[in-house]
Amino acid sequence: MTAPTMTVSELQARVDRGVVWLDEHIPDWWRTDRPSQGFDQGGAIDLGELRMKDPCWCVLGQLIGNYYRTEIPLDEAVAFGFDVESCTRPEMADEFDALTELWTRVIEQRRAEVTGRG
């Protein structure tokens, strides 16, 4: 397995920008009690199913039903840690895995802060 093309700190900076975007556009996006919008319409993020390489199971996919429903251009999606530059390069699988881990940590931290376990 090859290393991600970006450092963890570079990936974290992208995720941090994505957090700011989500806070601005989808308040309480990280909460477990977000109501389901119905099949393929989004709801709460299920960390057990979070896979940033899958457009239906990534952060945006779970929130709105499918990553491709967003109007975020690819360059912004990459800058916000929602996507990677080229999904066709094999080494990008590692970058997606790293993004999944970083998003999981952010979401767990947000949830822990609310429950007082942080």
Side-chain angles (χ1 to χ4, degrees):
M1 192 181 259
T2 59
T5 58
M6 301 187 83
T7 67
V8 173
S9 62
E10 289 170 323
L11 292 172
Q12 184 64 60
R14 288 171 43 197
V15 169
D16 292 345
R17 287 190 294 272
V19 167
V20 170
W21 188 91
L22 286 171
D23 285 344
E24 194 174 300
H25 292 89
I26 307 175
D28 297 330
W29 59 271
W30 45 269
R31 296 183 65 94
T32 57
D33 59 352
R34 283 182 52 81
S36 174
Q37 306 300 310
F39 176 73
D40 199 30
Q41 299 297 312
I45 296 171
D46 179 346
L47 291 177
E49 296 292 337
L50 184 63
R51 294 186 303 277
M52 292 304 293
K53 64 184 172 191
D54 187 314
C56 293
W57 294 102
C58 67
V59 168
L60 291 177
Q62 290 194 48
L63 289 171
I64 63 173
N66 189 318
Y67 165 83
Y68 297 110
R69 287 192 178 145
T70 68
E71 295 182 14
I72 301 172
L74 178 61
D75 61 335
E76 287 183 25
V78 170
F80 296 151
F82 298 133
D83 207 338
V84 298
E85 286 185 57
S86 174
C87 301
T88 59
R89 294 188 357 226
E91 65 270 18
M92 290 302 147
D94 292 332
E95 195 165 312
F96 274 123
D97 290 344
L99 284 173
T100 299
E101 288 179 33
L102 293 169
W103 275 109
T104 298
R105 284 188 215 151
V106 167
I107 295 165
E108 287 174 338
Q109 181 180 10
R110 287 277 182 105
R111 290 175 177 176
E113 288 170 3
V114 160
T115 61
R117 289 182 253 163

